[in-house]
């Protein structure tokens, strides 16, 4: 789960990064951030393992670009985000220097122009190959690229067309407008309670945050003090919760858990995946030698408190490799290699 922070200069991007990753990560601009997972606590209390492992999101804070009216994001930023799974785009909604929606549209324009350049360059190469011999080009690739060009010419990001992105011939292209985007509207503390952000759309989610306030919250070491501060401000969720929830939503992820005396751990998995694929998230050997999955649903665990009680009540299930894993499932894999 690699997420890159982008935004124009002065939008508060690095301040939000510091709130999410901690001040120590600011100089490097890169951090591994633990995903909050409250479901690990009761499992930890039950097993008291020496090791507790959270799922992590890799965050990259890229330099702020000149601005919506000053040259866009720039080639460096656009090239560096290509390997990343998701974009966290910070919009300045507090200074009054620019309209957040203008910034959003400027970034989208950068994505579209960059993708169109890639498509047109590849189509030019195909046209040259066709002049030499028909055997040098792939008609299916050409057709897919022409569809992508038509979509981009209409000034629509590719993320809106799932069927087009699913074409095998386009999978090798790391299109920027195809990347899911979490738009973070960075507003003043006084507007946080009443600001209205756009509805979610294909491949994009909008959240409202106050980066300055979040950084102050992040500096509080005591959890109870932090929770009390949030309650006083009427905040139900921190920026980290909102960002993690947004990233999980955009990437279609759920969490399954493993628990034992040595370790309690959370694992990310794409929704709709079977148990054998979940085994592969842990280790390829477990996937290859998969026999059965011993599964206890999260609600059933809460009702029983222990695995022994769950087994006595017939709630601990043995599932095959085609079982579709659910969010919160506690799984022990049986395998043989």
């Amino acid at each position: 789960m690699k997420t890159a922070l982008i935004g124009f200069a002065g939008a508060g991007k690095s301040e939000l990064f510091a709130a999410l990753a901690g001040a120590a990560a600011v100089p490097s601009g890169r951090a591994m951030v633990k995903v909050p997972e409250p479901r690990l606590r009761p499992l930890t209390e039950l097993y008291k393992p020496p090791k507790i492992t959270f799922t992590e999101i890799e965050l990259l804070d890229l330099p702020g670009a000149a601005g919506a009216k000053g040259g866009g994001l720039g080639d460096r930023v656009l090239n560096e985000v290509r390997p990343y799974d998701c974009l966290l785009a910070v919009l300045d909604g507090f200074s009054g220097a620019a309209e957040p929606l203008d910034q959003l549209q400027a970034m989208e324009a950068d994505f579209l122009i960059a993708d169109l350049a890639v498509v047109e360059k590849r189509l030019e190469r195909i046209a040259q190959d066709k002049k030499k011999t028909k055997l040098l080009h792939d008609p299916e690739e050409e057709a897919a690229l022409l569809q992508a060009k038509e979509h981009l010419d209409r000034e629509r990001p590719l993320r809106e067309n799932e069927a087009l992105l699913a074409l095998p011939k386009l999978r090798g292209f790391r299109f920027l407008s195809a990347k899911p985007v979490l738009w973070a509207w960075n507003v003043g503390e006084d507007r946080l309670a009443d600001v209205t952000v756009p509805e979610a759309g294909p491949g994009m989610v909008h959240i409202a945050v106050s980066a300055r306030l979040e950084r102050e919250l992040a500096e509080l070491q005591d959890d109870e003090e932090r929770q009390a501060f949030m309650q006083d401000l009427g905040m139900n969720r921190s920026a980290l919760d909102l960002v993690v929830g947004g990233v999980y939503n955009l990437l279609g992820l759920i969490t399954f858990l493993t628990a034992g005396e040595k370790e309690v751990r959370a694992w990310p998995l794409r929704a709709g995946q079977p148990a054998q694929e979940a085994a592969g998230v842990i280790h390829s050997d477990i996937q290859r030698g998969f026999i059965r999955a011993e599964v206890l649903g999260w609600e059933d665990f809460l009702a029983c408190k222990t695995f022994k009680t769950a087994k006595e009540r017939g709630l601990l299930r043995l599932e095959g490799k085609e079982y579709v894993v659910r969010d919160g499932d506690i799984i022990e894999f049986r395998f043989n290699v």
Side-chain angles (χ1 to χ4, degrees), residues 70-81:
L73 291 169
D75 290 341
R76 176 187 172 185
V77 171
L78 294 174
N79 288 330
E80 286 200 49
V81 301

Side-chain angles (χ1 to χ4, degrees), residues 129-140:
D129 289 342
K130 287 170 69 174
K131 290 179 181 178
K132 298 174 185 177
T133 171
K134 292 182 179 180
L135 299 177
L136 286 178
H137 87 286
D138 184 341
E140 290 185 9

Side-chain angles (χ1 to χ4, degrees), residues 9 47 53 105 107 141 185 248 299 329:
Y47 283 101
T53 306
Q105 291 171 345
M107 284 190 244
E141 181 189 6
W185 296 60
Y248 263 60
E299 296 300 326
D329 275 351

Side-chain angles (χ1 to χ4, degrees), residues 44-91:
T44 300
E45 293 172 350
L46 176 63
Y47 283 101
K48 297 179 173 55
K51 187 177 181 181
I52 305 165
T53 306
F54 292 80
T55 298
E56 293 182 323
I57 294 177
E58 180 182 344
L59 292 180
L60 173 69
D61 180 24
L62 290 169
K69 299 179 181 179
L73 291 169
D75 290 341
R76 176 187 172 185
V77 171
L78 294 174
N79 288 330
E80 286 200 49
V81 301
R82 289 191 186 279
Y84 280 71
D85 304 308
C86 186
L87 303 178
L88 173 54
V90 184
L91 306 171

Side-chain angles (χ1 to χ4, degrees), residues 246-254 269-272:
V247 170
Y248 263 60
N249 182 323
L250 289 167
L251 298 181
L253 297 172
I254 62 170
L269 181 71
R270 292 200 180 275

Side-chain angles (χ1 to χ4, degrees), residues 237-248:
R237 302 174 68 192
S238 69
L240 181 57
D241 291 330
L242 291 171
V243 168
V244 168
V247 170
Y248 263 60

Side-chain angles (χ1 to χ4, degrees), residues 18 35 60 109 118 157 165 182 184 189 199 213 222 306 308:
V35 173
L60 173 69
V118 170
L165 292 176
L182 178 59
E189 178 184 328
E199 295 290 330
L213 177 59
D222 186 88
T306 69
K308 180 181 178 181

